[in-house]
Amino acid sequence: MRAARLIRMALLVQSSPGMTADALARELDVSRRTVIRDAQALQEAGVPLRAERGRAGGYRLAPGHRTRLTTLHPTEAETLYLSGLPTALRDLGLSDAADTARLKLSATLLPSLRAAAESSARRFHLDAPAWFREPSAPELLPELARAVWSDRTVELDYARPARDGAPPRTVTRLLEPYGLVLKAGVWYVVGRIPAERTTGRDGVWRTYRVDRVTALSPAPAGDPFVRDPSFDLAAHWQAQAAGFARALLRTTVTVRLTGRGLRRLPSVMDPAGVAETLASATATAPDAAGRVTLDLPAESEEVAFGQLTALGADVEVLAPAGLRARFREHARALAALYDAAPEDQR
């Protein structure tokens, strides 16, 4: 709706004075001409919005003018109160600041909006950690969060786990910490190795688990780093996570599945990998018994064994031969166990 867009435009100019028509058009997902028309509409409605020309120009509000939050719709107020993660704020050491901010926000809202906003906390709760995992905040997380907020380069010791036959070891890295990500109860820091420490002109991006950071200290220089204004943390994480998931799938397993096994397969293996397999030519048509043969990507034979055993008799592993032999031994062990009478009937 145009009214909502006009309010958003006024708030954007208030929070970021000097935004150009092109920048506002990108934020509002409209054309530059629409931004110019909306600016005229705001001026006619009494909002002291002005356009300044020149290199440092852009749209600005008159000095001292501010848009009040009392124009919030009840649904917007409810959504605003849902934007916080209590456990994440606690881990970052920001729960007191968040509580104070909510109190200040409540004080600026009309009574009707205040009730709508506060009621959302009674109806919705986001529990980020996965089931059967004891959540714990890494000891160095608050200190790392302060470095993220202040754009301070840090030197960290990172406990790199054993991988591809290499033993575990601790490495020291100089890092420009750009952001923190909470994924299924695990904190990650996304940052850039300074350009002078790499062969690349623009530095190298890295992602580290915060609970594996064993030591943290300010960089020797101590000056804030210059943040790349084009960096988008959410977009970077999405791309890195997708690439990481694909890189893990380094083994191919050929299986024959019943109809029920096929339906349950996405719940035990990577859903994206299963979807790609079903859409590719590796999936055969059902045989006379309704079974389908697939070539599935898997992280390793060890991981595939743990995942596919959950399907029981609804899956038959055809290849690789070593994994099929392991399932055969597993089946024999189960048969021997259940053929024997229980020793203890208590």
Side-chain angles (χ1 to χ4, degrees):
M1 295 176 61
R2 190 186 185 201
R5 189 176 71 239
L6 291 172
I7 293 173
R8 189 179 173 202
M9 180 175 171
L11 291 172
L12 283 169
V13 174
Q14 176 177 296
S15 61
S16 303
M19 287 190 74
T20 64
D22 290 335
L24 286 167
R26 287 192 296 271
E27 287 288 337
L28 299 170
D29 196 22
V30 296
S31 67
R32 189 175 188 274
R33 181 172 296 180
T34 299
V35 168
I36 295 173
R37 286 200 301 263
D38 285 352
Q40 293 172 345
L42 286 170
Q43 293 167 347
E44 291 170 1
V47 177
L49 182 70
R50 62 191 186 194
E52 298 178 355
R53 297 183 181 275
R55 185 176 180 181
Y59 284 99
R60 300 176 189 275
L61 293 174
H65 179 85
R66 296 191 65 81
T67 302
R68 288 183 169 275
L69 280 174
T70 49
T71 57
L72 283 174
H73 185 274
T75 304
E76 295 169 338
E78 291 168 354
T79 305
L80 188 59
Y81 266 66
L82 286 174
S83 61
L85 281 170
T87 54
L89 293 171
R90 182 196 61 216
D91 292 350
L92 293 169
L94 297 173
S95 25
D96 289 343
D99 289 341
T100 303
R102 279 191 289 269
L103 286 172
K104 289 181 177 180
L105 176 60
S106 294
T108 65
L109 296 175
L110 292 171
S112 58
L113 295 179
R114 193 179 307 139
E118 292 174 351
S119 69
S120 64
R122 302 189 185 100
R123 290 172 169 81
F124 300 98
H125 174 69
L126 178 58
D127 187 7
W131 286 105
F132 311 118
R133 177 181 296 169
E134 184 65 28
S136 60
E139 181 181 352
L140 296 174
L141 178 61
E143 186 178 347
L144 190 54
R146 286 191 288 272
V148 170
W149 279 113
S150 58
D151 293 339
R152 296 282 178 177
T153 304
V154 296
E155 188 173 79
L156 56 84
D157 291 344
Y158 187 74
R160 178 176 288 174
R163 185 172 55 188
D164 296 332
R169 63 191 181 99
T170 299
V171 297
T172 300
R173 293 285 183 265
L174 202 65
L175 186 73
E176 297 172 348
Y178 266 64
L180 291 162
V181 177
L182 179 62
K183 170 71 172 178
V186 179
W187 283 98
Y188 296 86
V189 58
V190 177
R192 186 171 59 178
I193 306 295
E196 62 269 17
R197 293 296 186 98
T198 68
T199 56
R201 184 181 62 183
D202 297 328
V204 177
W205 293 98
R206 289 288 183 264
T207 300
Y208 298 110
R209 279 184 59 146
V210 178
D211 59 1
R212 291 179 183 161
V213 176
T214 58
L216 184 70
S217 60
D223 297 327
F225 62 86
V226 179
R227 179 176 285 264
D228 182 353
S230 67
F231 178 76
D232 186 325
L233 178 61
H236 176 85
W237 176 262
Q238 185 176 13
Q240 289 294 107
F244 177 74
R246 286 192 298 270
L248 285 177
L249 306 177
R250 293 172 288 187
T251 300
T252 299
V253 178
T254 304
V255 297
R256 184 182 290 129
L257 295 153
T258 65
R260 185 173 66 173
L262 187 62
R263 290 191 299 271
R264 293 178 56 202
L265 187 61
S267 67
V268 299
M269 299 194 76
D270 174 54
V274 172
E276 289 178 7
T277 300
L278 292 174
S280 69
T282 62
T284 66
D287 61 15
R291 298 177 302 177
V292 173
T293 300
L294 300 175
D295 289 334
L296 290 170
E299 183 175 343
S300 65
E301 291 188 22
E302 178 71 25
V303 172
F305 176 79
Q307 293 171 329
L308 293 173
T309 49
L311 299 181
D314 289 316
V315 62
E316 178 189 1
V317 174
L318 303 178
L323 184 59
R324 181 176 174 85
R326 184 168 181 179
F327 268 88
R328 183 166 56 246
E329 292 302 316
H330 179 65
R332 287 172 180 169
L334 283 177
L337 178 66
Y338 284 97
D339 281 344
E343 294 181 2
D344 192 347
Q345 296 286 351
R346 291 177 298 175

